[in-house]
Amino acid sequence: MSEEEVPVVENGVEAAAAEPEIPAGPQHMLMTDAFPGISKFADETWKCDGAPNWRRVPGFPIYATAQPNKADVDKCVEQAVKKYDEQKNVLWVNLRQEPVVYVNGLPHSVRNSDDLAGHIVLNEAFEINNIENKMASEIKKAGEFTFCKDLIGERAQEILPEYKSESGRVDSVNTLSEVFSFATKKEPKLEFKKIPLELNAAPMEDTFDMIIRLLKGHGSAIPVIFNCQGGMARSSVASVIAGIIKETQLENEFNKMKGIVPDEIIDSLRGKKLHPPAPARDAKDNALMLGEFPVVMKLIADLPEAAEAKQQVDRLINAVGPPNGVENIRETIMMDKMQFDVASDDYLPLLKERIMDQIEKYFMLIVFSLYCKEVGPAGFNKTFKKWLDSKTYREEISAGKGKLEWDRKVPEDKIVNLKELLNCDAFNENLPNVINQINQMSYKMFNDLPRGDQKCKSMRKLAGRTLIDILPPKLSVYLEEKLGDLSKVPDFYDMVGQLSYYGRMPELIE
């Protein structure tokens, strides 16, 4: 026995040998950028399978796309260069907070091994670069790589999928910076920058300022390309921010034309481009789908000029979204709210936080429009962050983003009437009437929502909650015995079916 193997003796008793250390698993795992359903939009003028959701915002030199394959970066740049060949630069902004590594020409995001469904959140480019460089170095040394296929994309889901790891041979490995370094050498006009943008929450104030610093050094006609994983939410938000900045620049350029170009021509161009009439409102329009959240309406009531800022933001959101894009970032809030109405209790807190984050995002876009109208004419001589220091908007959105009707409930007087119909010996005779009234009230409560599966689910969930609220104790006990915990709100028609058997089925005698 060597000296290192001599057992330790304490108080005459040989101590147990120390457990061997189990080597920790890898801290990070690669996840494919591609996921089922990533392609939601196909540009009619130019389609590139290696750059899903590539599109140009109508009327603007603004492009958005998913993370392109390595071989397709140059093709995307070429499209912008050809369209705006008279411009000296083409800007490309990567908006991802998560590190990205290209393996065999395909982009993969770097995820934490213990949270494969979640994106890594980093807000400094050097932090992102460090992980990318480390991951690329490790893959090169290994000669093979392990990865998972993304199944859900950028939007978290209530039920997380089970990921299965796969292995592959490595032919090439590049960091994101390397891929775009190659692209800038091929196209001298290309300027690449990383500006991390929040996935769901409002962009940080520094993020607004970084986009301003990038764009204000160029004219309004300089093309800019934004990308995130799927070319959806983050690319859409950045496109709206860029649209606000470019419209401010264009306003300044119109002002410089005074005395050179007749005023009537300038006014006509300005009216068509920057101040088109707002679309007529339909009586059937849902207020929240239009962005009329309580905190936004309070802002407009306190500051009338915010109405014009909201109109600008809505116009740009509509231009960036369908049918010319993939996501309307204002209407998405309402779609999440509809999902909230039918979500399980465990998922509600996460979904509620996401909804409030998106309301804050929308609110801050309106505030950013106000900032640009005030500070933009002077060449953005004050940062957005510093400008906010003299305002109360941070406090307003913090206090107001949660002021939303989170639960739609049937009026109390209706509940009392329904309880009386069920709290009697002959409740079976009243059950059809109760079901009919609940269905009618549920439909009326969600009459403002567009038709579709989500609306049906919301109505059914409200009907189920209402039925549970009006049940007398004996029927509640009966249903719990048949369907389990009523706090999880079983299906409405399952509960109705069980109630129809109450007192009618003979007891089984063993």
Side-chain angles (χ1 to χ4, degrees):
M1 182 179 290
S2 66
E3 183 178 348
E4 289 80 3
E5 295 172 320
V6 174
V8 178
V9 178
E10 295 181 1
N11 299 324
V13 180
E14 184 177 319
E19 290 288 334
E21 288 189 8
I22 300 175
Q27 181 183 358
H28 296 120
M29 172 75 77
L30 290 182
M31 181 76 71
T32 60
D33 268 357
F35 57 87
I38 186 174
S39 295
K40 296 182 179 295
F41 178 82
D43 193 315
E44 294 181 357
T45 59
W46 184 73
K47 180 181 178 181
C48 180
D49 292 333
N53 300 321
W54 170 269
R55 73 269 189 195
R56 183 177 70 88
V57 180
F60 291 87
I62 300 172
Y63 294 86
T65 181
Q67 190 75 50
N69 295 342
K70 181 181 176 182
D72 297 294
V73 172
D74 296 336
K75 298 175 185 177
C76 295
V77 174
E78 183 182 3
Q79 288 299 307
V81 171
K82 282 184 177 180
K83 176 73 175 177
Y84 300 94
D85 60 333
E86 75 285 0
Q87 299 302 321
K88 295 180 179 179
N89 298 97
V90 173
L91 310 177
W92 190 306
V93 181
N94 182 279
L95 302 164
R96 304 181 69 171
Q97 292 177 304
E98 65 274 19
V100 177
V101 175
Y102 278 79
V103 182
N104 301 337
L106 301 179
H108 297 72
S109 67
V110 181
R111 305 284 180 95
N112 287 320
S113 299
D114 58 354
D115 183 20
L116 292 177
H119 290 69
I120 291 177
V121 177
L122 298 171
N123 294 312
E124 297 292 343
F126 76 89
E127 293 180 302
I128 299 173
N129 290 338
N130 287 343
I131 294 180
E132 288 176 353
N133 291 333
K134 182 175 182 292
M135 196 73 180
S137 177
E138 291 175 354
I139 294 171
K140 288 177 182 177
K141 289 179 181 178
E144 62 179 9
F145 72 112
T146 303
F147 67 97
C148 293
K149 291 181 179 178
D150 194 354
L151 301 175
I152 58 176
E154 297 179 329
R155 294 185 66 79
Q157 296 182 2
E158 182 171 356
I159 300 175
L160 297 180
E162 292 186 9
Y163 293 102
K164 296 180 179 179
S165 61
E166 301 181 30
S167 298
R169 190 184 70 179
V170 175
D171 295 324
S172 66
V173 182
N174 300 104
T175 64
L176 182 67
S177 297
E178 287 175 337
V179 169
F180 280 89
S181 177
F182 300 150
T184 54
K185 290 177 181 177
K186 291 182 180 179
E187 177 49 71
K189 287 186 176 183
L190 180 63
E191 181 181 335
F192 173 72
K193 192 172 184 63
K194 287 183 178 181
I195 301 181
L197 190 70
E198 299 284 343
L199 186 57
N200 292 311
M204 296 186 299
E205 294 159 16
D206 287 338
T207 302
F208 282 103
D209 286 326
M210 282 190 282
I211 297 177
I212 290 172
R213 283 197 297 272
L214 177 65
L215 297 183
K216 77 175 185 178
H218 302 279
S220 64
I222 290 292
V224 57
I225 304 168
F226 293 106
N227 91 268
C228 54
Q229 179 187 351
M232 299 178 187
R234 288 178 284 187
S235 295
S236 297
V237 172
S239 296
V240 172
I241 294 173
I244 296 172
I245 296 170
K246 286 186 174 293
E247 288 197 345
T248 302
Q249 292 176 310
L250 190 57
E251 187 78 66
N252 294 342
E253 291 168 7
F254 280 138
N255 290 335
K256 291 177 182 178
M257 292 180 186
K258 288 185 177 181
I260 302 174
V261 178
D263 288 350
E264 59 269 21
I265 295 179
I266 295 175
D267 292 340
S268 176
L269 291 172
R270 179 187 281 115
K272 290 179 181 177
K273 183 67 178 177
L274 301 178
H275 305 287
R281 176 166 180 163
D282 193 299
K284 297 180 180 179
D285 287 339
N286 178 276
L288 297 187
M289 291 285 273
L290 296 175
E292 295 177 355
F293 305 101
V295 66
V296 172
M297 301 314 292
K298 183 179 184 303
L299 173 66
I300 293 173
D302 295 341
L303 192 70
E305 53 264 42
E308 183 182 350
K310 179 182 183 301
Q311 182 179 333
Q312 180 190 30
V313 170
D314 286 338
R315 173 168 51 81
L316 289 169
I317 287 176
N318 293 341
V320 169
N324 302 303
V326 297
E327 186 166 311
N328 185 304
I329 57 177
R330 181 190 64 248
E331 294 180 358
T332 298
I333 306 173
M334 190 58 204
M335 300 308 293
D336 275 350
K337 178 60 176 66
M338 292 168 65
Q339 185 181 354
F340 180 88
D341 293 330
V342 298
S344 67
D345 291 343
D346 292 339
Y347 191 51
L348 288 180
L350 293 175
L351 196 52
K352 183 175 182 178
E353 182 179 359
R354 187 167 83 190
I355 292 168
M356 291 193 295
D357 280 346
Q358 292 179 96
I359 291 174
E360 181 175 359
K361 180 196 302 179
Y362 179 65
F363 180 91
M364 292 308 295
L365 288 172
I366 296 172
V367 170
F368 182 70
S369 173
L370 290 169
Y371 158 80
C372 287
K373 294 180 188 303
E374 182 178 326
V375 180
F380 298 101
N381 59 349
K382 182 186 291 186
T383 66
F384 183 48
K385 188 173 186 177
K386 189 172 182 180
W387 180 80
L388 284 172
D389 289 340
S390 62
K391 310 292 182 178
T392 60
Y393 299 128
R394 295 182 184 119
E395 293 77 15
E396 289 177 31
I397 186 57
S398 178
K401 63 183 179 181
K403 292 182 178 179
L404 202 62
E405 184 186 36
W406 293 105
D407 294 306
R408 301 197 186 198
K409 294 183 178 180
V410 174
E412 189 60 33
D413 59 325
K414 303 287 186 182
I415 293 291
V416 171
N417 292 337
L418 291 172
K419 281 184 175 180
E420 292 177 355
L421 289 174
L422 286 186
N423 195 18
C424 63
D425 293 336
F427 85 91
N428 269 318
E429 297 176 5
N430 297 331
L431 190 57
N433 183 25
V434 170
I435 295 169
N436 184 48
Q437 287 191 44
I438 290 177
N439 276 325
Q440 289 184 7
M441 286 186 288
S442 297
Y443 179 80
K444 186 176 181 180
M445 293 294 291
F446 289 98
N447 193 38
D448 59 326
L449 299 185
R451 291 182 179 180
D453 183 58
Q454 200 68 50
K455 178 176 181 176
C456 293
K457 289 180 179 178
S458 298
M459 291 167 50
R460 203 152 167 170
K461 189 72 174 282
L462 177 62
R465 286 175 176 161
T466 304
L467 181 58
I468 291 170
D469 286 343
I470 65 174
L471 288 175
K474 64 179 181 180
L475 296 182
S476 294
V477 171
Y478 169 75
L479 278 186
E480 285 205 327
E481 290 177 351
K482 298 293 183 180
L483 300 175
D485 187 3
L486 295 185
S487 66
K488 295 181 179 179
V489 191
D491 181 77
F492 175 65
Y493 291 107
D494 286 345
M495 289 190 285
V496 168
Q498 291 296 336
L499 288 174
S500 66
Y501 288 123
Y502 181 82
R504 297 184 179 183
M505 298 293 289
E507 295 291 334
L508 294 176
I509 301 176
E510 296 184 359

